[in-house]
């Protein structure tokens, strides 16, 4: 017989580590954001930090959390002031004196007149008047009660400013309660003194102290060091509150504290406790102050809590800044963040920490040979997919060019299939299509005939039988950065690289950058390339490297694509030195055109993508195209990727 099910069930959030049923973190948008920043010139580390500062569409970033921290901090100081206890004591004292005078007025005795004279002779200061009335024999019941309330208020406020929650625990105090408090303070001071002197049995002393007085410490410290940490933080906050008052207010409170519970021993014990804590924790902030300028008065306990909150907010601001060596998002005190800003802030901080952790764990970054961080091949593939998808959307929007998205049509099968997309002209993979239809129909358990849906259709991936050797030459001179052409250029290279590496794997692509000098680079180098100011647009050197690449693949169709925004102003001499001249020297033009002629002899198709409207540039690239039998395109920046990829596909067909 099976055991009965429990009658009560409880459901709640999973707290024992990461939720095993939670969906994996979606890194696609984050990788795109980081990729854009890296391509714009940021280092991978800076791009990651910027992403965490900026946040994501569904998660507030560190900057927003920091703004809310400082807003909360300013609100505390703007709303409050610190004389609440003094005001409350004054109010209770005035009510007591008014009630006493009303009680004495109808009494014709000399004793009544003497008492009135005593009241009239009271000093104007609140603390001095309270002290003078310590031995006064009240006639009015209201006056007596208010005076006792003053003593209890002072005692509770003093204790709660050092021991959180004490005020609520002592709402009504009896002489026995006061004696227990005094005994606790005496034992506490003795325990701290023994610790300072290095007694070997301090653990036993601590355990005995907590057994006797543990109810006064809701924090439940595990050892004496934790106890000292808790007490010192609270005492330092109380001292900072006193530092923030005027000298007159501090003097009033010092005198009033002697009347706490009507027992001066409380104030004396607290003074001894503060001295010991200062010695044990000198690193706490005992000396600073804050300026409060609001209208809401705070008592001693509330003022100490406000100081604690301000210190906690300062610590959170530092944690959120991540500006110290070795900073990690795991350093953020989530409990403190939720206390100060609410649970939503804690959720945002957890998401950011998880995002950072997953980006590192899933290999978005890797170490370069020089020790620096760079984007991993996985991240580059993701950026390439995004760039190519943007290009495909742009190509689909071109009237009459729909077939350009069907790369590889009418070629040889690669052995792979994929889901049919609108515009595909590849042959159907019949067996895969029928199988998909059977599985979909069986999943519905309809028992009827198998029906074919457009979602079932798969097509055979094909590729052209010929292969191409492609050299993409991209201008990396300073004008590309200055005119905002840097990022579109990199996205174009990403899109072309992604297309060739996934759909035309037999093609040989060479990426060539050219500024003062030209260089053949890997995709990761181009993506991470930072813009640098240097003079020279060495198209001659770039075409020279392109020619070498084409000659290494004599059986391939040669294609040269050049993206530039400036006429050639440098050329390479036989000794390897780049000569710069502006306006372009005849020798620079001659050597550049000579290299174009050599490419033409190889049968290379040269396409120049002109960025900018400079007439001299337009005239020169037109000359290049005529000499090589190629063509010139002048796309806008948004259409650069589509123009380059579309031209490659045109040559490919």
């Amino acid at each position: 017989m099976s055991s009965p099910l429990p009658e009560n069930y409880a459901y709640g959030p999973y707290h024992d580590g990461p939720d095993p049923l939670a969906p994996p973190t979606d890194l696609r948008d984050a990788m795109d954001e980081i990729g854009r920043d890296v391509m714009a010139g940021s280092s991978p580390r800076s791009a990651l930090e910027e992403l965490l500062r900026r946040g994501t569409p569904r998660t507030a970033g560190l900057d927003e959390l920091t703004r809310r921290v400082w807003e909360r901090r300013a609100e505390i100081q703007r709303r409050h002031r610190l004389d609440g206890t003094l005001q409350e004591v004054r109010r209770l004292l005035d009510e007591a004196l008014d009630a006493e005078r009303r009680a004495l007025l109808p009494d014709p005795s000399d004793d009544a007149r003497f008492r009135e004279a005593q009241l009239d002779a009271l000093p104007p200061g609140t603390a001095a008047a309270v002290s003078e009335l310590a031995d006064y024999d009240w006639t009015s019941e209201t006056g007596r009660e208010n005076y006792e309330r003053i003593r209890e208020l002072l005692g509770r406020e003093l204790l709660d400013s050092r021991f959180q929650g004490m005020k609520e625990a002592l709402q009504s105090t009896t002489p026995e309660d006061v004696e227990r408090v005094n005994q606790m303070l005496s034992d506490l001071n003795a325990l701290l003194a023994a610790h300072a002197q290095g007694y070997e049995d301090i653990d036993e002393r601590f355990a005995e102290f907590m057994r006797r007085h543990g109810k006064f410490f809701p924090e439940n410290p595990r050892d004496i060091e934790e106890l000292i940490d808790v007490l010192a933080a609270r005492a330092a906050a109380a001292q900072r509150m006193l530092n923030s008052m005027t000298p007159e207010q501090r003097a009033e409170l010092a005198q009033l504290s002697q009347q706490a519970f009507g027992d001066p021993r409380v104030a004396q014990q607290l003074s001894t406790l503060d001295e010991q804590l200062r010695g044990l924790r000198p690193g706490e902030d005992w000396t600073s102050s804050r300026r409060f300028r609001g209208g809401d008065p705070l008592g001693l306990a509330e003022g100490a809590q406000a100081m604690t909150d301000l210190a906690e907010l300062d610590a959170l601001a530092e944690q959120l800044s991540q500006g110290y060596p070795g900073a990690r998002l795991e350093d953020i005190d989530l409990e403190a963040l939720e206390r100060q800003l609410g649970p939503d802030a804690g959720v945002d901080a957890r998401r950011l920490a998880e995002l950072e952790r997953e980006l590192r764990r899933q290999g978005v970054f890797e170490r370069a040979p020089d020790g620096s961080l760079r984007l991993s091949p996985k991240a580059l593939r993701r950026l390439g997919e995004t760039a190519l998808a943007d290009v495909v959307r742009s190509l689909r929007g071109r009237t009459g060019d729909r077939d350009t998205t069907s790369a590889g049509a009418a070629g040889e099968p690669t052995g792979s299939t994929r889901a049919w997309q609108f515009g595909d002209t590849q042959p159907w993979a019949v067996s895969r299509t029928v199988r998909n239809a059977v599985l979909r129909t069986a999943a519905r358990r309809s028992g009827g005939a198998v029906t074919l849906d457009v979602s079932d259709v798969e097509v055979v991936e094909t590729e052209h039988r010929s292969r191409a050797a492609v050299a993409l030459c991209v201008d990396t001179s300073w004008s590309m950065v200055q005119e905002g052409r840097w990022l579109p250029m990199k996205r174009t290279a990403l899109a072309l690289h992604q297309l060739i590496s996934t759909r035309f794997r037999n093609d040989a692509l060479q990426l060539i950058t050219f500024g003062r000098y030209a260089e053949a680079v890997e995709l990761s180098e181009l993506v991470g390339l930072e813009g640098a100011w240097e003079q020279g647009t060495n198209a001659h050197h770039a075409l020279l490297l392109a020619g070498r690449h084409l000659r290494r693949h004599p059986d391939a169709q040669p294609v040269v694509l050049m993206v530039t925004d400036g006429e050639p102003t440098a050329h390479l001499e036989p000794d390897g030195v780049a000569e710069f001249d502006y306006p372009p020297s005849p020798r620079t033009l001659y050597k550049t055109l000579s290299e174009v002629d050599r490419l033409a002899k190889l049968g290379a198709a040269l396409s120049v993508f002109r960025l900018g409207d400079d007439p001299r540039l337009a005239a020169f690239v037109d000359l290049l195209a005529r000499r090589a039998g190629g063509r010139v395109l002048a796309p806008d920046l948004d259409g650069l990727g589509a123009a380059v990829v579309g031209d490659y596909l045109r040559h490919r067909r």
Side-chain angles (χ1 to χ4, degrees), residues 3 27 47 88 105 114 157 165 234 253 264-265 296 308 342 372 405 407 480 487-488 501 525 540 593-594 615-616 650:
S3 58
L27 301 182
E88 182 63 10
L105 184 60
F114 176 74
E157 291 284 350
R234 188 74 173 178
L253 281 174
R265 291 179 299 167
D296 181 23
T308 300
S372 62
T405 66
M480 292 285 287
L487 186 56
S501 62
E525 296 177 82
H540 165 246
L593 292 173
S594 296
R616 292 169 59 93
R650 183 181 67 86

Side-chain angles (χ1 to χ4, degrees), residues 319-336:
Q319 294 162 16
L320 292 169
S321 74
Q322 296 284 287
Y324 49 91
R328 298 291 291 269
L329 291 188
E330 284 83 356
D331 301 341
I332 298 173
D333 187 339
L334 297 179
E335 292 183 359

Side-chain angles (χ1 to χ4, degrees), residues 579-640:
E579 293 289 340
F580 167 78
D581 268 308
Y582 183 82
S585 68
R587 182 166 175 76
T588 296
L589 298 177
Y590 169 76
K591 291 184 74 69
T592 304
L593 292 173
S594 296
E595 203 57 48
V596 171
D597 293 340
R598 291 190 181 94
L599 292 176
K601 291 178 181 179
L602 295 175
L606 173 62
S607 295
V608 182
F609 301 87
R610 174 172 57 82
L611 303 178
D613 299 320
D614 180 64
R616 292 169 59 93
L617 170 63
F620 184 78
V621 296
D622 286 342
L623 176 61
L624 289 185
R626 288 197 302 273
R627 293 285 285 261
R631 65 175 186 159
V632 175
L633 296 90
D636 57 25
L637 292 180
D638 291 337
L640 176 61

Side-chain angles (χ1 to χ4, degrees), residues 74-132:
E75 178 190 12
I76 292 174
Q77 294 182 252
R78 188 172 56 245
R79 176 181 295 180
H80 302 295
R81 65 174 189 263
L82 299 177
D83 58 351
T85 297
L86 292 175
Q87 283 196 10
E88 182 63 10
V89 170
R90 184 75 249 182
R91 184 187 68 80
L92 291 172
L93 179 62
D94 289 342
E95 287 182 2
L97 294 177
D98 288 344
E100 183 70 7
R101 286 191 171 95
R102 286 196 302 271
L104 294 173
L105 184 60
D107 186 350
S109 66
D110 291 340
D111 182 62
R113 304 290 80 75
F114 176 74
R115 290 170 184 268
E116 288 178 341
Q118 282 184 286
L119 299 181
D120 292 339
L122 287 174
T126 303
V130 171
S131 298
E132 285 286 331

